[in-house]
Amino acid sequence: MSSSDGPSAADQQLIDHAARHDLTVTAKQLAGWRRAGLLPGNVPGGGLGRGRGSTSSPPPESFDLVLALARRAGRGKRPADLALLLFAEGLPVPEATVRAAFRAAVDTIALPGEDDSSGDGLDLDGHVDHVAGRLAETGQTVTLVPARARRIDERITRLLGEPPTELTELDKNTEPSRLTTQDASLTAVTAVLGGTVSLQEIGDLLRAMAPGMASHPIASLVETTQQDVPDAADLVLADDGSLTFIPGGDARDLLRAVADTDSLEDLAAGWRTARQVREWALDLCERVEGELDAGQIGEAVTEWLHGRQLLSGLAVLETLRERRWSPSSGALSALVLLFQRQMFAVLDGLVPGCQWHVLEMPGVLPPPVRDLILNTAVSLEAAPAEGAAG
C-alpha cells in the first residue's frame, strides 16, 4: 500500500498505539525515524492470498520506541542526539545507530586546518606543526582553568593563607616550567594526533591547571616517577618519559574503536558514569561556594583541595569547560572514561602488585569513576597488603 493511500496496517498499529497514550504520530514521521535508523522496519508476514498482497507487523520494540520518539522528537533535534538519549533510557535503539551516534561524538573533536587539504600527506610531526601554525594564526588556545574554578581557588587561598611548609617541601621541582596557554594547546594537539607526551609535559600541564598553588606535590610526583620507582617505570615508560602502554595513532581513532567494540552494556555504563561525574562536579562547586560564603572550611573545600591536581579535580575543570551539556558531549566523555578503564586494565597487567588501593583514596578519582574502574579494570586483592608493606 503506498503512502498516498494512507499508512500501512503495521504503521497504523503504531499510530494507534501512540494515540492511546495521547501522542500524535504520522506515517511521515515513522518513515523519517526509520531513515534515521531510530526505528526498525516492519517485519514482513505471510501473504493475504488471492492477489491481495502481503502483511507486515511492527517489531515488538517499535511500540516503546515510537512513544519515546513522539515525546522527544521535535524541530532541531539531531537524530544522533535522539539515539543517545533513548539509548540512555534503556530503550532498544538499533545497535548500529547507537554505535554510529557514539562515533559521531568523536567527530566533534576538530582541530584547526583539518577542514582543508593543505595538511594532506604530512607525517605526524608535520601534521602537528601544521595544526600548531593554524592555532597561532587563529589565536585559539585551551582554557586551562575555567573562570568559576579560578574564582574558587582564589577564595580558598584568601581563606587559608600560605600553605604549610611540609606541603611545600613535597614539591621537588624548584624551577618548574612556565607553560603558556599556547604551549598547553600544542601539547593537547600532540596528544590528540598521537604524538608522545612525556611525564614532564604532563607535570607542566598539571602545574598550569593550578596556577595559584604555591607548590604542586602531585605534579612533582609525576615528574619524578622515573627516579622514585625505576623498576615500575621501566615497565611502562620510554626513554623520553612517555607512556609505552598507550596505543599510538590518532586518539580519535582509539575512541572510535571503543565505540565500535565495547559492548552496549559498557557504552551504557560509560554514559551513565559521565552524567554522574558531571552532576557530582557541579554539586561539589556549589557546596564549596556555600562553605566559602559562610567563611568556613568544611568537607566540600577539603574534597576540592584533595583532588585539585588529581583526576577528580581534572574532571571538575572539564565539566566547567563544557558549560552547555549536549548528548554528543556526554557520549564523548563516556568513550574517554571507557578508554581510561582499558588503560588501567593494561597497566594492571604490566605492573603486578600495583597499589590500586590508592584509587580509593579521597580526591584521586571522581566517586562515579571509582566504581567504574575498580569494579572491572584492576585487581584490588593484594593492594592493601602491598601498600601496608610499602
Side-chain angles (χ1 to χ4, degrees), residues 233-249:
D234 287 344
L235 297 173
V236 297
L237 294 177
D239 292 339
D240 62 359
S242 61
L243 298 168
T244 57
F245 61 91
I246 296 179

Side-chain angles (χ1 to χ4, degrees), residues 9 88 221 224 279-280 387:
L221 280 175
T224 59
E279 292 165 1
W280 164 82

Side-chain angles (χ1 to χ4, degrees), residues 84-316:
L84 292 167
L85 292 170
L86 298 184
F87 172 69
E89 292 178 11
L91 289 158
V93 182
E95 180 174 342
T97 304
V98 172
R99 294 191 184 279
F102 273 92
R103 284 179 61 90
V106 181
D107 295 337
T108 62
I109 307 175
L111 300 177
E114 291 189 318
D115 55 351
D116 58 45
S117 59
S118 58
D120 292 351
L122 296 174
D123 61 12
L124 177 59
D125 290 340
H127 198 176
V128 170
D129 290 343
H130 172 69
V131 175
R134 292 298 300 273
L135 281 171
E137 291 173 12
T138 59
Q140 296 182 52
T141 56
V142 174
T143 301
L144 292 173
V145 187
R148 187 176 183 183
R150 190 179 294 273
R151 289 194 297 269
I152 289 175
D153 284 342
E154 291 170 350
R155 294 180 67 185
I156 290 176
T157 299
R158 288 197 297 270
L159 192 59
L160 288 178
E162 292 297 321
T165 304
E166 302 81 35
L167 182 64
T168 304
E169 291 176 347
L170 292 175
D171 190 346
K172 305 301 182 183
N173 193 340
T174 56
E175 296 183 1
S177 304
R178 299 298 177 186
L179 204 66
T180 67
T181 54
Q182 291 78 13
D183 294 333
S185 299
L186 180 57
T187 300
V189 165
T190 302
V192 168
L193 294 177
T196 58
V197 177
S198 68
L199 290 185
Q200 181 59 56
E201 290 171 309
I202 294 173
D204 291 343
L205 276 174
L206 290 175
R207 292 177 185 277
M209 286 189 282
M213 294 177 63
S215 63
H216 299 73
I218 302 302
S220 178
L221 280 175
V222 170
E223 294 161 349
T224 59
T225 297
Q226 286 176 292
Q227 294 80 34
D228 295 342
V229 283
D231 292 340
D234 287 344
L235 297 173
V236 297
L237 294 177
D239 292 339
D240 62 359
S242 61
L243 298 168
T244 57
F245 61 91
I246 296 179
D250 194 309
R252 292 167 293 188
D253 290 335
L254 301 178
L255 295 179
R256 291 186 185 103
V258 174
D260 288 341
T261 60
D262 273 32
S263 69
L264 292 181
E265 291 76 14
D266 283 343
L267 292 176
W271 171 280
R272 185 168 56 251
T273 303
R275 289 301 307 268
Q276 291 170 344
V277 168
R278 182 173 181 82
E279 292 165 1
W280 164 82
L282 294 175
D283 177 68
L284 176 61
C285 290
E286 291 180 4
R287 290 189 292 118
V288 169
E289 289 164 341
E291 290 182 2
L292 293 173
D293 288 343
Q296 63 183 23
I297 301 297
E299 292 182 0
V301 171
T302 301
E303 185 176 0
W304 178 278
L305 290 172
H306 279 166
R308 187 60 182 82
Q309 278 195 303
L310 297 168
L311 286 175
S312 64
L314 300 183
V316 173

Side-chain angles (χ1 to χ4, degrees), residues 15-38:
I15 293 169
D16 293 343
H17 180 66
R20 286 192 293 272
H21 290 79
D22 298 320
L23 297 168
T24 300
V25 169
T26 66
K28 182 178 179 181
Q29 284 178 304
L30 294 175
W33 293 335
R34 290 194 181 103
R35 285 194 301 272
L38 296 168

